[in-house]
Amino acid sequence: EDQVTQSPEALRLQEGESSSLNCSYTVSGLRGLFWYRQDPGKGPEFLFTLYSAGEEKEKERLKATLTKKESFLHITAPKPEDSATYLCAVSRTGNQFYFGTGTSLTVIP
Amino acid sequence: SQTIHQWPATLVQPVGSPLSLECTVEGTSNPNLYWYRQAAGRGLQLLFYSVGIGQISSEVPQNLSASRPQDRQFILSSKKLLLSDSGFYLCAWSWRNTGELFFGEGSRLTVL
């Protein structure tokens, strides 16, 4: 059975304090791993797609990496506006996407 | 550019009443369409997905159903709501077999 596990469930950082979020997965024939940002009461916003181990993607203060068993979302020098829930999802078939429960990030000024 | 519209944004319904949530996508053709539910403090649960008109795949057996009467329209329905149907419902689309998912703004359903 395909599984996606995210850790930690919640993370509080001081502004400027870098850290990483983890997404571990068990899926055969991974087609893609996706990162999303979700603000309260809103739909998730797409951030990155990673397709193969060793791949990296960057966007502003965010950097996503992928290994054969997990992905990390690195946040460098976060700002309060980075506060959100970050979701990880995997796809095996290309038609079905399975999400983790997310990491709630709070960045304190 | 592509946009996705979902409505209503909020609704409060009594137990046993019917439900209809609608979703339309603009700016693309032949998208894959999805309905997800997000319960408080939990992840997104895939309910239905569709690869074409009239083609619906169900992930979770329950009292909900989905229909795709037009290429870019996806409807989530129920004949009789349960308390457990409360949640945040999200419609999403993707290009065929290439990911990524793009989400609407969501519909918050409260069943009383």
Side-chain angles (χ1 to χ4, degrees):
Chain A
E1 180 179 327
D2 300 340
Q3 286 193 329
V4 181
T5 303
Q6 292 188 246
S7 63
E9 290 188 10
L11 182 62
R12 290 172 64 89
L13 299 173
Q14 292 290 330
E15 185 172 0
E17 179 187 2
S18 301
S19 187
S20 296
L21 313 181
N22 178 262
C23 172
S24 61
Y25 62 92
T26 53
V27 59
S28 57
L30 180 74
R31 289 283 296 270
L33 185 142
F34 309 88
W35 282 98
Y36 289 83
R37 169 192 170 126
Q38 186 176 25
D39 293 307
K42 301 289 187 180
E45 174 188 351
F46 170 72
L47 293 174
F48 303 110
T49 305
L50 301 168
Y51 292 105
S52 57
E55 190 174 0
E56 300 182 350
K57 295 276 181 72
E58 287 190 65
K59 180 180 180 179
E60 296 181 352
R61 295 176 292 282
L62 300 176
K63 179 180 178 180
T65 62
L66 181 65
T67 72
K68 288 185 178 180
K69 293 187 176 182
E70 58 191 350
S71 176
F72 292 93
L73 184 65
H74 307 277
I75 302 176
T76 303
K79 299 181 177 181
E81 54 262 40
D82 295 322
S83 297
T85 295
Y86 290 86
L87 300 169
C88 169
V90 298
S91 175
R92 176 168 51 84
T93 65
N95 288 331
Q96 296 161 286
F97 299 80
Y98 298 97
F99 283 78
T101 54
T103 294
S104 176
L105 173 65
T106 303
V107 182
I108 304 164
Chain B
S1 64
Q2 298 79 30
T3 58
I4 179 168
H5 302 285
Q6 186 180 343
W7 70 93
T10 306
L11 66 166
V12 180
Q13 296 285 96
V15 169
S17 64
L19 171 72
S20 180
L21 300 178
E22 295 193 31
C23 172
T24 60
V25 179
E26 297 178 355
T28 187
S29 298
N30 303 315
N32 286 354
L33 296 173
Y34 305 81
W35 280 110
Y36 282 86
R37 178 171 61 198
Q38 188 173 35
R42 300 183 64 180
L44 275 69
Q45 180 186 32
L46 178 60
L47 301 176
F48 301 94
Y49 71 95
S50 171
V51 298
I53 296 174
Q55 301 179 60
I56 309 295
S57 296
S58 174
E59 287 288 303
V60 181
Q62 54 201 334
N63 69 320
L64 298 173
S65 62
S67 62
R68 185 171 177 172
Q70 301 181 44
D71 180 48
R72 291 171 290 173
Q73 183 184 23
F74 207 24
I75 298 172
L76 183 70
S77 303
S78 175
K79 292 182 179 179
K80 289 186 177 181
L81 285 168
L82 307 173
L83 287 173
S84 58
D85 292 323
S86 294
F88 192 48
Y89 289 82
L90 289 156
C91 182
W93 73 274
S94 71
W95 278 291
R96 294 290 177 84
N97 300 325
T98 60
E100 305 74 27
L101 285 176
F102 299 96
F103 286 88
E105 286 298 302
S107 298
R108 184 161 301 282
L109 170 65
T110 302
V111 182
L112 300 176

